[in-house]
Amino acid sequence: MRALRGAAAIWLVLFIAVYGWAYGAANFIRLCDVAVILTCIGILSGSALLVSSQAVSSLVVDLAWDLDLLWRLLFGRHLIGGTEYMWDAQYPLWVRLMSLFHVAWPPLLVTVLRRPGYDPRGFALQCGIAAAVLVASRFVLPGENLNFAHRDPFFHRGWGPAPVHLTLTFAVLMAAVYWPTHLLLRRWLGRRHGNQGFATRH
């Protein structure tokens, strides 16, 4: 566990430094990047709750990202979207390759939670985090449509005034992504009684 905590600390510093330099501070309001930061903090603090919340957030989204990247490599077009920047030459290749964390994150989260188990409170915590991030996304780089806070990813349109669009976006995210992931994790990695965290203590 010490090695994992060391790796999490190193990655967190590199991630914030490189992404902040390459993409700007506003990038950190993306839910996938929020997940990286909170997962690392969860590992460093030994919080199964925090890591559980980011498992709810990340598993489906990261797998969708992986699928879109693979589809683009194999067929020359995007299946879902969201990985277009990986072919944007204005960013150095080595910076873009750092986004391959999306491939490693699902197995990392599952591995980290195997010992303490999934904390079902992670669902409610992530819903709260997502709600706050979605609201903040309306005020940051509107042209970037961060977290689809202005336009949905399928029809590419806004659905009414900001409160209506954000409510619908949150509802879809919760019902189609978070709740099914929560049920799967609760069944697959149910909480181990007596384990409040996974940090090794001496």
Side-chain angles (χ1 to χ4, degrees):
M1 186 55 68
R2 284 182 176 177
L4 179 60
R5 293 174 70 182
I10 293 170
W11 177 255
L12 181 59
V13 172
L14 285 175
F15 179 79
I16 292 176
V18 172
Y19 269 46
W21 167 74
Y23 301 119
N27 180 80
F28 296 118
I29 205 163
R30 296 182 189 275
L31 280 167
C32 59
D33 295 334
V34 170
V36 171
I37 294 171
L38 294 183
T39 298
C40 290
I41 293 174
I43 292 172
L44 290 169
S45 64
S47 172
L49 172 59
L50 195 52
V51 176
S52 294
S53 71
Q54 297 318 297
V56 170
S57 172
S58 299
L59 293 183
V60 171
V61 173
D62 283 344
L63 290 173
W65 190 97
D66 298 342
L67 178 60
D68 189 72
L69 182 74
L70 181 62
W71 201 270
R72 173 65 172 78
L73 287 170
L74 293 177
F75 303 109
R77 59 187 179 86
H78 296 277
L79 179 64
I80 304 166
T83 64
E84 292 84 355
Y85 69 97
M86 292 293 286
W87 281 265
D88 190 340
Q90 72 171 305
Y91 303 112
L93 178 60
W94 64 272
V95 172
R96 286 177 277 155
L97 290 177
M98 285 185 66
S99 288
L100 292 176
F101 75 79
H102 288 281
V103 178
W105 229 246
L108 170 67
L109 289 162
V110 170
T111 299
V112 169
L113 289 175
R114 280 194 179 279
R115 180 176 179 270
Y118 168 69
D119 188 331
R121 297 175 299 167
F123 170 73
L125 176 58
Q126 179 53 29
C127 286
I129 292 170
V133 171
L134 282 173
V135 171
S137 299
R138 287 290 300 197
F139 302 97
V140 179
L141 299 178
E144 294 289 326
N145 192 32
L146 298 177
N147 303 309
F148 307 110
H150 293 269
R151 299 176 301 282
D152 76 85
F154 303 107
F155 301 99
H156 309 291
R157 55 160 292 184
W159 296 90
V164 174
H165 180 84
L166 290 175
T167 299
L168 289 173
T169 301
F170 176 76
V172 170
L173 185 63
M174 183 177 66
V177 178
Y178 292 172
W179 181 248
T181 304
H182 163 71
L183 295 179
L184 175 64
L185 289 168
R186 191 171 63 179
R187 176 178 291 273
W188 183 20
L189 297 171
R191 189 72 181 269
R192 310 315 191 238
H193 294 294
N195 283 332
Q196 299 301 313
F198 46 78
T200 302
R201 305 185 191 279
H202 299 282

